[in-house]
Amino acid sequence: MKLNKLHAALFAALIASGSAFAQSPIVIKFSHVVANDTPKGKGAERFKELAEKATNGRVKVEVYPNSTLYKDKEELEALQLGSVQMLAPSLAKFGPLGVKEFEVFDLPYIFPSREVLYRVTEGPIGKSLFKKLEAKGITGLAYWDNGFKDMTANKPLRTPADFRGLKMRIQSSKVLDAQFRALGANPQVMAFSEVYQALQTGVVDGTENTPSNIYTQKMHEVQSNMTVSKHGYIGYAVIVNKKFWDGLPADIRTALEGAMKEATKYTNAIAEQENAQALENIKKAGKTNVYVLNDKEKAEWRKALQPVHTQMAGRIGKDLIDSVNKEAAALGYK
């Protein structure tokens, strides 16, 4: 009799623990490499807020900014292994993963405006690119804007010739490597978290990035010159581990998709504003000479960098590059 009571007690305890387990929230670890006060950082926090509210607490989003969980080179592998569920890597990260088509976003001067960019990311091109990630165990959820890149160095950069011999930090991208080689510079692949120190100690002479990233990482404090060139684009893809995403209850997944849609609107809306404010802050700090390319100079840069499009056509796909150019032409750009 005592044994039966003991069995009953154990069974009741198991049921109770099972019920508690069923009620415990689903944890999404969202790792990224930039500061909280950047468009991506703010977007991640907004998604956390919206996701937890939309699921009535059934999902808990843990945001890990500033490479606190994984660095540039580690995060995609961590996602594929399921050690982290969500990332927002820059689009340049997918080339080294084997999805070279994403490097179309790295081509210099391919997006003449944000309108062209959004036609690409929000249309068939963007969807087809996400489809290519599925074979890698990744599901693409959204494209987040971070804006157009500018150049910094410890010397003025006004003509292509000014880059000759400079060591310029890049993300791991064949296109970005080709871009700086076309300018006569020496590209150096380096994790984002290491850039400030490398600039400070002279390991590299300069870099390219959006004003918000330059300002929040204090790169302007160790670079005497900045050229507003808007020569390239930095965007992010919010991605999840496919197995994790597919295994979520349908209602949870739907709620998270809605939260991501709202977070994307918010992030893309603030990107331009944040970059404009960061540029003003860099000017006010007084440590960096900020120079804006005029139309003639910009045309010279475009001419020097145009061969990169032809050079990379075999890698990225000529048809894809042509498709992006058609979107620009549809809006009146030549």
Side-chain angles (χ1 to χ4, degrees):
M1 188 71 178
K2 285 181 180 178
L3 196 59
N4 286 340
K5 283 183 179 178
L6 180 61
H7 284 162
L10 285 169
F11 183 71
L14 283 169
I15 292 294
S17 66
S19 174
F21 179 75
Q23 290 171 7
S24 62
I26 297 164
V27 175
I28 296 177
K29 291 181 180 178
F30 189 165
S31 173
H32 66 81
V33 301
V34 300
N36 274 326
D37 54 346
T38 58
K40 178 161 69 172
K42 290 181 178 181
E45 291 296 331
R46 178 58 63 95
F47 173 71
K48 169 183 168 66
E49 176 191 335
L50 292 167
E52 292 176 353
K53 184 178 179 182
T55 60
N56 294 315
R58 289 169 65 194
V59 169
K60 182 185 178 186
V61 180
E62 298 176 354
V63 179
Y64 297 89
N66 260 333
S67 306
T68 51
L69 200 58
Y70 295 105
K71 292 184 179 180
D72 276 342
K73 294 175 183 177
E74 308 162 343
E75 60 177 12
L76 279 170
E77 185 181 1
L79 183 86
Q80 288 174 302
L81 291 172
S83 303
V84 63
Q85 290 72 44
M86 184 174 286
L87 302 173
S90 64
L91 298 167
K93 300 276 179 63
F94 298 114
L97 191 67
V99 190
K100 300 168 186 174
E101 292 87 347
F102 274 90
E103 290 184 345
V104 72
F105 290 101
D106 293 337
L107 288 170
Y109 291 115
I110 194 165
F111 299 111
S113 70
R114 269 188 165 78
E115 289 74 23
V116 176
L117 170 71
Y118 290 150
R119 278 180 72 107
V120 170
T121 56
E122 295 173 6
I125 296 174
K127 288 183 177 65
S128 69
L129 288 172
F130 272 164
K131 198 76 180 165
K132 293 179 185 295
L133 293 176
E134 293 180 3
K136 305 290 182 182
I138 295 169
T139 295
L141 297 181
Y143 291 94
W144 282 6
D145 188 10
N146 187 25
F148 293 99
K149 294 183 286 187
D150 300 318
M151 297 283 193
T152 69
N154 282 323
K155 61 172 283 191
L157 300 172
R158 300 190 181 185
T159 72
D162 294 330
F163 286 87
R164 202 161 293 144
L166 293 183
K167 292 174 289 183
M168 299 294 288
R169 178 265 171 175
I170 61 166
Q171 299 183 74
S172 182
S173 163
K174 296 292 184 186
V175 176
L176 298 180
D177 184 276
Q179 169 187 281
F180 280 111
R181 291 189 189 282
L183 295 170
N186 300 313
Q188 311 282 317
V189 176
M190 185 176 292
F192 184 68
S193 57
E194 299 168 9
V195 178
Y196 175 87
Q197 189 175 6
L199 292 169
Q200 186 182 41
T201 57
V203 171
V204 292
D205 299 307
T207 187
E208 57 170 11
N209 224 306
T210 58
S212 66
N213 278 349
I214 291 167
Y215 181 70
T216 57
Q217 295 294 320
K218 303 184 187 304
M219 294 177 195
H220 65 291
E221 294 182 358
V222 289
Q223 295 275 265
S224 60
N225 286 268
M226 177 175 178
T227 299
V228 179
S229 52
K230 300 193 183 299
H231 63 280
Y233 173 71
I234 290 187
Y236 308 113
V238 186
I239 56 176
V240 286
N241 176 285
K242 188 177 187 300
K243 187 177 179 182
F244 167 80
W245 188 251
D246 291 347
L248 290 173
D251 63 325
I252 291 284
R253 197 162 53 243
T254 300
L256 292 176
E257 285 170 349
M260 182 56 67
K261 191 173 181 181
E262 287 303 309
T264 299
K265 282 182 188 174
Y266 165 78
T267 307
N268 290 351
I270 67 168
E272 191 169 7
Q273 175 189 334
E274 294 273 323
N275 280 309
Q277 184 59 56
L279 186 59
E280 285 307 306
N281 291 342
I282 291 168
K283 289 176 182 176
K284 286 177 186 173
K287 296 185 177 183
T288 310
N289 296 314
V290 178
Y291 181 77
V292 181
L293 291 181
N294 60 42
D295 290 344
K296 185 180 177 183
E297 289 165 335
K298 194 173 277 191
E300 192 179 348
W301 282 44
R302 277 202 188 95
K303 185 179 178 182
L305 293 168
Q306 188 59 38
V308 177
H309 291 230
T310 307
Q311 187 183 342
M312 290 290 119
R315 178 179 174 85
I316 296 169
K318 186 178 183 302
D319 289 347
L320 177 57
I321 296 171
D322 289 345
S323 295
V324 174
N325 289 332
K326 281 179 185 174
E327 296 291 357
L331 290 175
Y333 295 98
K334 293 181 180 179

